[in-house]
Amino acid sequence: TIQKLSPGTSYYATVFSQGDVVGQRISFTTLEELPSAVPTVFRCQHQLNSTAIVCTWNQLEKSKQNGKITYYKLTYKFDFKEERVYESALFSTLTHLQPYTKY
């Protein structure tokens, strides 16, 4: 058993049998896990018009990704109604917002 491996990481190992001078090289990848952190810089400041705004965030450090990030989930609320947006990029344009409304 090999321990203390990182999630979603490719490794190479050489396997030797007793008395073997030349081993066999094998490769394997550990299973991915959920990220161990969330983006630390999140901004919604580039207003396109009265009903749309662009939000941006930073990429997670490689050591905290635990595999490939396939999407980010943004959740915002208004009037007890929750909206979700899924993005694969490091930004999202939120549209159909209500003017002069705090989210």
Side-chain angles (χ1 to χ4, degrees), residues 2 5 9-15 23-30:
I2 303 173
L5 300 177
T9 304
S10 295
Y11 292 94
Y12 296 95
T14 305
V15 179
Q24 181 175 345
R25 184 176 171 163
I26 61 168
S27 63
F28 60 94
T29 303
T30 54

Side-chain angles (χ1 to χ4, degrees), residues 32-43:
E32 296 182 4
E33 294 180 2
L34 290 174
S36 55
V38 297
T40 54
V41 178
F42 182 83
R43 293 187 178 105

